Amino acid sequence: MTEIRHESQHEDEKKRAPRRNPWLRPALTAGAVATVAALTFVVLPGGGADGTSATNGRSAVTLLENIALAAEGTEVPSGIRDDQFVYVKSRIAYMTYTNGGPGKLDPVHDREIWLSVDGVRNGLLEEDKQGLRHQVLSLEEGPLGKPKTPLATSYRSLSKLPTDPDKMLDWLYETVAKEVDDEQPDQDYRAFVLFGDLIRETLMPPKVGAALYRAAAKIPGVEVVPDVRDTTGRTGIAVTRTGADGEEEQLIFDKKTYTFLGERVLDDGKLVGSSSVLERAVVDRAGQRP
């Protein structure tokens, strides 16, 4: 589940932190327009924040409860069909490591992804970057390695996750425990990263989302950073956790609406990745925009 966001498209190119898969993180005819349902995120003015001052875990519990309450009230399009696609547009910049050399932070660029509602149809990735400008996301040939296996972050798969916070927490830890990661043995951090993967390039069912946020509040070591800028310059409040290897995941939310804005990833205090979610929608086909 955490192998899609930054998959290399060149044999001589190695991409390091964050260690995730680029599908997660992660795609108009007159008849189709009527079935497009858009969930647009408003771009807010940014302040001058560097996102380095964390507060205590008790504040994280309060913040995540407020986010959970907001998630419960989120409206998703009705009548979503299996043959439709969840569309997410983001603005991102992540570190690239080439030929074992020093990392270089990519220029900020746009990314659009289309993932099927049922998780078994090929998706599409459009990214304003060399080698990723137009890429069919084939589930048969993709990194999942199991043909016809539904993508774990598809809307239908997410709809089957627990709506009880304690059961959701158990599911997070059981999921990360199935994959050995010698580079990141911190199970609490890996559970937090999985939490972030589940909300980034997905459409989250409201009750499942609420349970997920309440489960995240139970992960040890989760803190709050009060002022953090995302890739577009919007300033929000972040829930954050640092792994045993010094990698830190910051998940940024709007201070008033508690809408998820994006993420920042730090490695020993150095920025190695950031993203902003600009738009979410349900559309009829891969490549269709709201």
Side-chain angles (χ1 to χ4, degrees):
M1 295 181 65
T2 58
E3 295 301 322
I4 308 177
R5 264 197 302 154
H6 305 288
E7 183 183 53
S8 173
Q9 301 305 308
H10 306 281
E11 292 183 359
D12 64 345
E13 188 174 277
K14 180 184 178 183
K15 292 185 177 183
R16 192 190 171 202
R19 298 181 290 273
R20 301 179 184 82
N21 193 309
W23 291 359
L24 294 173
R25 261 292 151 54
L28 298 169
T29 65
V33 172
T35 63
V36 174
L39 306 174
T40 304
F41 292 79
V42 178
V43 179
L44 301 176
D50 59 7
T52 58
S53 177
T55 60
N56 60 45
R58 186 173 183 179
S59 297
V61 173
T62 301
L63 174 59
L64 284 162
E65 176 59 26
N66 289 335
I67 295 171
L69 291 171
E72 286 179 325
T74 301
E75 293 185 6
V76 298
S78 60
I80 298 176
R81 305 191 312 270
D82 284 351
D83 64 347
Q84 290 182 303
F85 290 78
V86 172
Y87 164 84
V88 180
K89 181 177 181 179
S90 306
R91 190 159 295 156
I92 71 171
Y94 287 92
M95 190 78 76
T96 297
Y97 294 78
T98 304
N99 296 330
K104 181 180 179 181
L105 195 63
D106 293 336
V108 175
H109 60 279
D110 286 347
R111 168 186 171 93
E112 296 172 286
I113 194 167
W114 291 260
L115 295 173
S116 65
V117 167
D118 62 7
V120 298
R121 304 164 202 269
N122 291 348
L124 180 66
L125 173 66
E126 294 275 3
E127 187 165 336
D128 188 15
K129 184 179 179 182
Q130 184 179 4
L132 291 174
R133 202 167 298 279
H134 182 87
Q135 180 186 9
V136 174
L137 302 179
S138 172
L139 297 186
E140 288 76 15
E141 300 175 0
L144 293 178
K146 294 183 179 179
K148 308 292 185 182
T149 299
L151 187 66
T153 54
S154 70
Y155 183 75
R156 294 295 182 232
S157 295
L158 293 174
S159 298
K160 298 176 182 178
L161 292 183
T163 55
D164 176 84
D166 290 327
K167 292 181 179 179
M168 176 66 81
L169 185 67
D170 290 341
W171 180 87
L172 288 173
Y173 279 92
E174 289 169 2
T175 300
V176 298
K178 292 177 182 177
E179 182 178 351
V180 177
D181 188 345
D182 294 333
E183 294 183 18
Q184 183 54 266
D186 188 335
Q187 294 289 301
D188 295 327
Y189 180 71
R190 291 175 63 197
F192 187 81
V193 169
L194 175 55
F195 155 55
D197 286 343
L198 290 171
I199 64 175
R200 189 175 300 101
E201 288 184 333
T202 62
L203 180 62
M204 182 65 65
K207 291 183 179 180
V208 174
L212 182 61
Y213 291 121
R214 291 181 173 120
K218 298 174 182 287
I219 297 175
V222 177
E223 296 182 316
V224 171
V225 180
D227 294 292
V228 184
R229 277 186 176 179
D230 69 6
T231 313
T232 66
R234 299 176 295 190
T235 300
I237 187 168
V239 286
T240 180
R241 197 186 188 285
T242 302
D245 64 349
E247 183 176 294
E248 180 182 358
E249 176 88 357
Q250 297 180 343
L251 302 173
I252 312 166
F253 297 84
D254 183 89
K255 294 182 179 182
K256 294 181 179 179
T257 67
Y258 301 114
T259 299
F260 177 65
L261 298 181
E263 74 162 358
R264 281 166 43 99
V265 184
L266 308 175
D267 190 2
D268 289 328
K270 180 181 179 181
L271 181 68
V272 295
S274 63
S275 69
S276 304
V277 177
L278 303 179
E279 190 172 9
R280 297 181 199 263
V282 177
V283 298
D284 280 343
R285 59 179 177 81
Q288 179 182 353
R289 294 179 175 86

